[in-house]
Each structure stands twice: as structure tokens, then as C-alpha cells.
Amino acid sequence: MILFENVTKTYPRTTRPALDDVNLEIPRGEFAFVVGTSGSGKSTLMQLVMKEQDATRGRILVAGRDLDRLPERKVPALRREIGCVFQDFRLLPNKTVFQNVAYALQVLGSSRARIRQTVPETLELVGLAGMEKRLPHQLSGGEQQRVAIARAFVNRPPILLADEPTGNLDPDTSLGIVQLLDRINRTGTTVVMATHDTVTVNAMRKRVIRLDRGVLVSDMEAGDYTTGS
Ligand code: ADP
Ligand code: ADP
């Protein structure tokens, strides 16, 4: 589903690569954590998958596409296959929960009937049934992140990327969010979560890919946060 071959990313006017000769294969249906301290290259890796950044060297395949050869006009189709969740939720503040999730389908041209069917189903899946009419500021942080996950998943993308999704949440709430991502993974969606949240990583016993200053230093099945470090 995601393949990195000798991928290096060096940002303009920097000396050290943000990612340095990274090799990585994440098969369809996997749940993988990407861990490492701040500045280790986790966000860069996620942005490369989305083609928000281009690799300086190497080859990246995502959902069967070679990103280096993907013309600009085909980038939107790539992004429709990737749901994204961020630390800061990025909800529309003046839209209700329902509208925030529905918006993701509206931009894809979904029918009203489909939206009326799919949005409540997805809110139920993330544990927010009954909260359709709330505004984001009327929700706790954990609930806001559930809305963001519902929005990312409402069109059932094959890949879900989550960049520090628990970074603003307390430990109990964080565990709930990771368990929700696990539930989404069980529907068949490939989930990649960047985090430095030791407790949630250790609770899940999933694949752990560790970056250190842009270098992939370990990659363990059923790992814990400190494996290989
Ligand atoms: P992480 O997500 O693990 O904190 P990042 O991928 O954000 O790591 O950053 C990796 C390295 O790349 C850091 O040294 C960071 O300063 C640098 N970097 C990230 N984005 C940019 C950018 N747009 N321009 C220049 N340097 C960047
Ligand atoms: P937390 O302390 O967990 O961050 P809050 O104290 O903000 O959460 O909210 C607790 C519960 O009350 C949540 O279910 C939230 O949705 C609800 N809530 C908070 N503010 C409002 C509001 N202005 N109107 C309706 N419900 C609210």
C-alpha cells in the first residue's frame, strides 16, 4: 500500500536531510506507528505520502501510484484515497459536527441521500451518535478528534494517516482515540500514526517504525516505544 525505496528528503536551505535514505513497506491493512522525537522526520514522512512534499531522491509508491511520476492533475485522486487527522483537529469552527463530516462528502459530489445515510453511520462508528448538532467548541478535545476522524474516514479511504492525533489529549482520552483508529484499521483501512506518545504505543503492540534524525533506526512487529532505541 505504501512503499519507500531509498527515500531522502532535504528541504531547501537546510544542511541535514529531514529523511535520509528511508526504506519502508507498509502492506494493505496494516496498523503502523511512526515514532521518534520532535524533528526526527515523522511529519515529513506523512507529507511525502500525501504528495504535499516531493522526495529529493528515491521512489515512493502509494496505492499503486509512483508519486514521482504522478501528474499534478492526478494528485486530488491520490488524496481521496488518504484520510488525514492532525494534532490540532482542524474542524470548521462555525459548522456543526454533522456539517463538518458532511463537508468531506460534499466536496466529492456525493448525493444528499448518501450524505444523510453515511454521516450518521460514521458518527455512530466513532462514538458520537446524538452529537450531530453540536459545534466544535461544545465538545471536549477527545470528542473533537473523533469528529476529525469521522471526517477523514467518511468516504472510506483505503489509507488513514494520523499525525500526532493524541498530542493535545490526556492519556485516557488518547487511548480511546488509538482504540478508535484500531477499530477503523479492522475495517481494512491501512493506518499510519506518527506519535511520541509512549503509553499508547506500548498499549497497542503494533508495528513500530522508529526515526532518529531522519534515519529509520528500527522497524519492529508488535513493538514497544523503546524497542531498538
Ligand atoms: P517530526 O514530525 O518528527 O517532528 P519533521 O518532519 O517535522 O519531524 O521535521 C524533520 C526535520 O525537517 C526537522 O529538522 C525540521 O526542522 C525540518 N523541516 C520540517 N519541515 C521543514 C520545512 N518546511 N522547511 C525546512 N525544514 C523543515
Ligand atoms: P473535557 O473536560 O473532557 O474536555 P468538557 O468539560 O468540555 O470536556 O465537556 C464535557 C461534556 O459536556 C462533553 O460531552 C461536551 O460535549 C459537553 N459540552 C461541553 N460544553 C458544552 C456546551 N456548551 N453545550 C453542550 N454540551 C457541552
Side-chain angles (χ1 to χ4, degrees), residues 131 134 137-143 170 173:
M131 300 215 184
R134 303 265 187 102
H137 76 267
Q138 297 172 320
L139 301 175
S140 69
E143 289 166 339
D170 63 53
T173 308

Side-chain angles (χ1 to χ4, degrees), residues 9-14 16-19 34-47 53 163-164 194 196 211 213-214:
K9 171 66 183 177
T10 307
Y11 288 102
R13 291 173 297 281
T14 60
R16 193 169 57 73
L19 284 181
V34 178
V35 308
T37 54
S38 184
S40 58
K42 304 183 297 297
S43 293
T44 297
L45 189 149
M46 306 292 240
Q47 288 170 23
Q53 298 283 351
D163 194 353
E164 299 277 1
H196 47 232
L211 296 173
R213 284 163 285 184

